[in-house]
Every structure is written in C-alpha cells, then in structure tokens.
C-alpha cells in the first residue's frame, strides 16, 4: 500500500515532528491544513527529489508556484550562494539531504524570484524514512533571513559609524563603569580600549568636576537626555581638554534603563576660534572707533571760506585716509610702507616719463597711527603743490626722500622745484595748520621753507612712539 502524505510525515525518522490533537478528521487533509497555515515556508519531495507539496509561505518566498511532481529539489526560480555564485538546483541543500540521506544544517543560500528580487534564506532539509528505514522523500523548512540580514547590515553600519567617528563614543553602566570605547575616544583621551574598559569614567574627570558625573547619572536614571553640555575633561597625560557632551540613557528591551551612552566632542579648536574672534571683534571695534575719530578730527581741523571749499577739503583728506586704510588691509593692519603712502598720493602726477616725481628712501613700515598722520600730511603738501606750487605747471618737479638718522627717529624731506616763484605767505593757511597740528600731536616737528625756487618741507617724527590720530580729537 502506498504511504499517504500524513503517513510519510508521521512515520519518518526525521528531526521534525508534528504533534496534533487526535480527532476524527486527522488524516492527510488535516496535516496539509496545518502546514498551509504555518508562516514558515515548508515543502516536501519524494525520494527522487520531485516536489510533492509546498505551502503558501513557500510559494510567497519563491515568488512563484513550482509544478507538483515535476519541479525538482527546490521551488526557487534561481539559486545562489551567499557570495553570489550560482547554485545549481541539483547541488542545493535539499538535493544533498536526499542524495546523502542526512539532514543538512548551518547552510545559507539566496533565492531569486522571477521579478529579480533576491531573498536570503536558511534551509533545514531533512530526509524522511519509512518504518523499514527506506528513504521515501524529504521535508524542508526555509527561514527567510531578509529582516535578520537587514538588521545585521544596520548593526554593521552603526558599528562602523561608532568605530570611525571623530567623536569619542562611550557606553557605561549606571555605576559609571566604562563598557565600550571607540577609536575617537582613544584619540581624544589617550587611553586605549583595553586601558579604559572596565574602569570608572571618573578617570576622565578632573577632581573639581566629579560632582558633574553624579548629577549626570541621576538624570540618566530618570530617563533624561543631556545635550551639548560643555565642560572640561582630563586626558591620560593629565592635560585638560574642552569638550561638548551628549549623554543618553541605554534602554533594555523590557524598558529598563541599564546604562548610558556618551558622545564627547573636542571643542578645543572651537574655543580657540571663539577667543580669536573675540579678540578680532574688540580690535575691529577699536579700529572702527579710530576711523570715526580720525574722520571727525579731519572735519574739526578743516576750515574754508565757502561750503564748496570745505566739502572739497574734507573729501580730499578722507580719501587720503581711505588710501592708507587700503594699505592696512593688505598688511593685515600691521601698518603701511612709507613709500606706498607717498606713491598713492602722487600717483596721478607720475605719469608720462615719470620724472616729475622722485621718491627715495629705505623700506620702512609705519605703524597705523603714524601712517595715517603721514597720509594726511602728504595729501596737504600735494594739494598745495597742485594749487600753487610745482605741480601747478608742466615743468615742476617734486622730490621726496627720508632717512633714519637714529633708531626710533624718521626724517622726511619734501622739495619742490621748477614751479612758480614762491613768496612766503603772510599767514598760515588751513592746510599748513592741519599739518602742524597733526605732526605736533604725533610728537614730531615740521619745518616749512618758502624759498623762491619752491617749497621745502622737513618733518621729524619719533616713529616708534607715535600716537594715534584719535589723540588729536581728544585734545582739541
């Protein structure tokens, strides 16, 4: 008599047993109903490997329905090993179980559906034997590993993120004992994982900040999260480091808080940048006030007979200051080269063969306050030369030179030739008074010689102790 489906299952010496209540309707149909309802993919073959039964879960996993009595070994459309190599159906775990009459365990494979999607699975093929020990077929259960593989991939990604993060990522117990330690923690704090794990997190805390850890643990036990808490911690070598802490509770599957995860970010560079920005802000404030004070001083020193003359005079002096400030920017506010200050003011008159203006002197960078003073002085000298002196005629010449006869002292000479005959003025003009006041406030001296061949001017300045033009406003 031929064994029925239920007989084969019930009489087999396999590792899979089906226990069901004994009822009147406990034949083959009853067993099929049980298998059809199971969420696990199950199918059965005969002794030749031909599929004789599969449940709905198996059809879903395969993505199609194989032909009963014809399809062999496995109902998958295509099979592959986990490394991507093709797996012939005749070499699949079910085929091995039947051919070698043994259960196959610990093997994984990939089933490809007709639509191209792939499902990783773990098979449990088990041969079936009758009462006499003859092989009558095999039963196979396929476990879909998709969710598990996805979880493993996510776990691996998270593990990689933690391991290679620049931040220190640490886990600890509710008693403060370190349980995990990534490469970022080793880089920031100097301890290796072997040195840190199992020790109290207090090895990272300066003695005067130990109270912080107890406060953090109390909040963690209450389920609170601490975000971006800025503090100071201690490296292995004893040096201190500014860090930003984020601490979160670690919650078990049953909802219990079992520890804390800590992310520590080194903010030393940020703190240094903030301090630098603060210094720059104060410096910018000082320079802005200085610029405004300088402009105000220029206005206060300017006199004119008409509004138009007053406007032109102020504009010219402010432009001279703007020119020297351009030089300050180029030097990052260390000062300005005297040669560049003079060149900018006289540039319009150096065109052509360049013989109208001669500039000679050693390289010399003036600090900002002295540079501003000299910029306005040369503007006044140039303006006077254009209106009345050597630059008012085509053949006029200007010579500017400077020397440093001793450390901390500068002598500048301005000489005009080839201009109109000069008559000494009967009173000081507005420009002359501006120059005299500015040089005096810079603790210098100025001498003007109105000889017939042209104006000659000599300026002596203590260039290492010159004061800012803002002093001029304060004293006027």
């Amino acid at each position: 008599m031929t064994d029925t489906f239920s007989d084969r299952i019930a009489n087999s010496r396999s590792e899979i047993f089906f226990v069901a209540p004994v009822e009147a309707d406990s034949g083959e149909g009853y067993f099929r109903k049980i298998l059809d309802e199971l969420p696990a993919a199950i199918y059965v073959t005969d002794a030749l490997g031909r599929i004789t039964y599969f449940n709905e879960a198996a059809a879903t996993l395969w993505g199609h329905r194989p032909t009963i009595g014809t399809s062999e070994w496995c109902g998958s459309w295509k099979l592959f090993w986990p490394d991507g190599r093709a797996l012939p159906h005749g070499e699949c775990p079910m085929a091995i179980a039947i051919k070698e009459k043994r259960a196959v365990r610990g093997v994984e494979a990939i089933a490809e559906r007709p639509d191209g999607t792939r499902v990783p699975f773990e098979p449990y093929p088990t041969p079936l034997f009758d009462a006499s020990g003859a092989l009558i077929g095999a039963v196979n259960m396929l476990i879909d590993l998709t969710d598990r593989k996805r979880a493993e991939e996510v776990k691996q990604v998270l593990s990689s993120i933690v391991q290679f993060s620049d931040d220190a990522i640490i886990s600890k117990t509710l008693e403060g004992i370190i349980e995990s330690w990534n490469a970022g923690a080793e880089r920031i704090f100097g301890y290796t994982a072997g040195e840190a794990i199992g020790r109290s997190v207090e090895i990272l805390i300066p003695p005067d900040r130990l109270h912080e850890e107890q406060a953090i643990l109390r909040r963690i036990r209450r389920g609170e999260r601490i975000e971006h808490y800025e503090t100071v911690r201690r490296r292995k070598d004893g040096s201190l480091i500014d860090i930003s802490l984020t601490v979160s509770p670690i919650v078990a599957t049953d909802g219990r808080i079992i520890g804390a995860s800590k992310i520590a970010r080194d903010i030393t560079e940020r703190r240094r940048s903030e301090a630098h920005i603060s210094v720059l802000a104060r410096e910018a404030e000082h320079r802005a006030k200085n610029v405004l004070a300088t402009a105000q001083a220029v206005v206060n020193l300017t006199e004119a007979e008409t509004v138009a003359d007053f406007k032109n005079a102020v504009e010219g002096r402010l432009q001279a200051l703007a020119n020297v400030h351009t030089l300050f920017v180029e030097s990052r506010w260390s000062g300005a080269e005297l040669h560049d200050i003079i060149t900018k003011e006289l540039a319009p008159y150096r065109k052509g063969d360049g013989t109208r203006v001669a500039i000679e002197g050693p390289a010399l960078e003036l600090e900002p306050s002295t540079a501003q003073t000299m910029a306005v002085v040369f503007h006044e000298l140039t303006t006077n030369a254009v209106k009345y002196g050597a630059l008012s005629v085509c053949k006029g010449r200007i010579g500017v030179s400077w020397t440093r006869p001793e450390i901390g002292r500068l002598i500048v000479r301005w000489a005009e030739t080839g201009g109109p005959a000069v008559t000494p003025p009967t009173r000081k003009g507005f420009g002359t008074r501006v120059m005299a006041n500015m040089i005096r406030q810079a603790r210098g001296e100025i001498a003007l010689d109105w000889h017939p061949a042209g104006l000659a001017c000599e300026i002596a300045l203590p260039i290492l102790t010159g004061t800012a033009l803002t002093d001029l406003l304060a004293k006027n």
Side-chain angles (χ1 to χ4, degrees):
M1 183 176 75
T2 304
D3 289 331
T4 64
F5 174 81
S6 57
D7 291 334
R8 292 198 299 272
I9 298 295
N11 295 328
S12 69
R13 294 188 285 108
S14 69
E15 298 177 28
I16 299 179
F17 297 92
F18 298 92
V19 179
V22 179
E23 298 180 7
D25 184 17
S26 58
E28 182 173 346
Y30 183 76
F31 277 97
R32 285 181 179 273
K33 183 177 180 181
I34 292 175
L35 296 179
D36 285 340
E37 295 298 325
L38 288 176
I42 295 175
Y43 71 99
V44 179
T45 71
D46 60 19
L48 298 177
R50 293 171 299 197
I51 296 175
T52 58
Y53 165 81
F54 59 88
N55 67 358
E56 288 303 314
T60 300
L61 186 146
W62 294 326
H64 82 117
R65 309 178 77 85
T67 304
I68 295 294
T70 301
S71 299
E72 294 182 327
W73 311 119
C74 181
S76 301
W77 181 256
K78 292 180 181 178
L79 284 172
F80 298 89
W81 291 111
D83 62 6
R85 291 179 293 118
L87 172 58
H89 280 57
E91 299 176 12
C92 72
M94 184 61 149
I96 299 300
I98 292 176
K99 292 175 181 179
E100 298 183 6
K101 299 180 182 181
R102 64 178 179 87
V104 177
R105 299 290 184 265
V107 177
E108 293 183 12
I110 298 173
E112 183 177 296
R113 294 168 176 154
D115 64 3
T117 59
R118 293 190 173 190
V119 181
F121 68 92
E122 186 173 358
Y124 289 83
T126 304
L128 302 174
F129 304 90
D130 63 15
S132 66
L135 178 70
I136 59 174
V139 60
N140 199 357
M141 180 170 63
L142 310 178
I143 304 299
D144 188 342
L145 302 179
T146 301
D147 291 341
R148 193 182 86 184
K149 292 292 186 183
R150 185 176 296 117
E152 289 176 351
E153 289 175 0
V154 171
K155 182 179 179 181
Q156 182 60 41
V157 169
L158 292 176
S159 177
S160 296
I161 291 173
V162 169
Q163 185 59 31
F164 297 107
S165 172
D166 287 337
D167 295 335
I169 302 179
I170 305 165
S171 66
K172 61 183 180 181
T173 67
L174 292 177
E175 290 71 41
I177 302 303
I178 298 170
E179 292 189 313
S180 68
W181 186 268
N182 74 337
E186 181 174 339
R187 180 182 59 80
I188 291 175
F189 296 115
Y191 292 96
T192 65
E195 292 172 326
I197 293 175
R199 298 177 67 182
S200 171
V201 75
E202 291 182 356
I203 62 174
L204 308 177
I205 306 175
D208 61 337
R209 291 180 179 266
L210 288 174
H211 63 281
E212 294 180 355
E213 180 63 14
Q214 297 307 314
I216 288 172
L217 288 175
R218 282 195 297 271
R219 293 181 61 181
I220 290 298
R221 291 188 182 99
R222 295 196 298 266
E224 298 179 23
R225 186 170 188 262
I226 296 96
E227 290 196 59
H228 308 302
Y229 174 68
E230 295 188 1
T231 184
V232 176
R233 289 296 180 257
R234 184 175 57 187
R235 293 187 176 99
K236 180 181 177 180
D237 62 8
S239 61
L240 300 180
I241 179 174
D242 293 314
I243 65 169
S244 173
L245 278 179
T246 298
V247 191
S248 305
I250 297 175
V251 182
T253 55
D254 60 3
R256 291 180 301 112
I257 296 173
I258 59 174
S261 66
K262 230 179 194 182
I263 300 177
R265 174 163 295 178
D266 182 353
I267 59 172
T268 303
E269 285 302 320
R270 196 191 80 189
R271 286 285 178 84
R272 188 177 292 118
S273 295
E274 288 173 350
H276 183 58
I277 290 171
S278 179
V279 170
L280 290 178
R282 290 194 296 271
E283 180 68 15
E285 179 184 17
H286 169 74
R287 289 171 182 168
K289 289 180 178 178
N290 184 48
V291 170
L292 293 174
T294 300
Q296 188 172 358
V298 165
V299 173
N300 288 342
L301 288 169
T302 300
E303 299 179 30
E305 295 180 352
T306 68
V307 172
D309 289 343
F310 182 87
K311 178 182 176 182
N312 290 335
V314 169
E315 285 181 347
R317 289 162 184 167
L318 291 180
Q319 184 59 52
L321 291 174
N323 290 340
V324 77
H325 274 258
T326 299
L327 298 176
F328 292 163
V329 172
E330 293 173 356
S331 70
R332 300 196 176 190
W333 287 86
S334 64
E337 282 285 335
L338 180 57
H339 184 279
D340 294 338
I341 296 172
I342 300 169
T343 299
K344 270 189 173 292
E345 189 61 43
L346 292 172
Y349 313 102
R350 300 186 72 192
K351 297 177 181 178
D353 59 7
T355 59
R356 295 199 70 186
V357 177
I359 302 173
E360 183 179 4
L364 177 63
E365 185 178 75
L366 301 179
E367 51 86 23
S369 62
T370 303
Q372 289 179 118
T373 296
M374 295 306 295
V376 175
V377 167
F378 282 119
H379 170 72
E380 297 303 325
L381 289 170
T382 302
T383 300
N384 182 75
V386 171
K387 287 182 178 180
Y388 314 110
L391 296 179
S392 66
V393 296
C394 295
K395 295 183 179 180
R397 301 286 184 269
I398 300 289
V400 186
S401 62
W402 61 93
T403 58
R404 298 182 64 184
E406 57 189 79
I407 295 177
R409 186 169 177 81
L410 171 66
I411 303 296
V412 181
R413 295 179 178 86
W414 170 285
E416 299 182 26
T417 58
V422 174
T423 302
T426 57
R427 63 182 180 87
K428 285 186 177 180
F430 297 143
T432 302
R433 290 202 295 272
V434 168
M435 289 189 294
N437 286 335
M438 295 188 71
I439 294 298
R440 185 180 69 253
Q441 294 300 328
R443 296 188 177 90
E445 298 174 351
I446 182 170
L448 299 172
D449 183 4
W450 305 91
H451 59 77
L455 171 65
C457 174
E458 183 174 288
I459 300 167
L461 279 177
I463 59 173
L464 296 182
T465 58
T467 58
L469 186 57
T470 49
D471 291 343
L472 182 62
L473 179 63
K475 296 177 180 179
N476 284 339

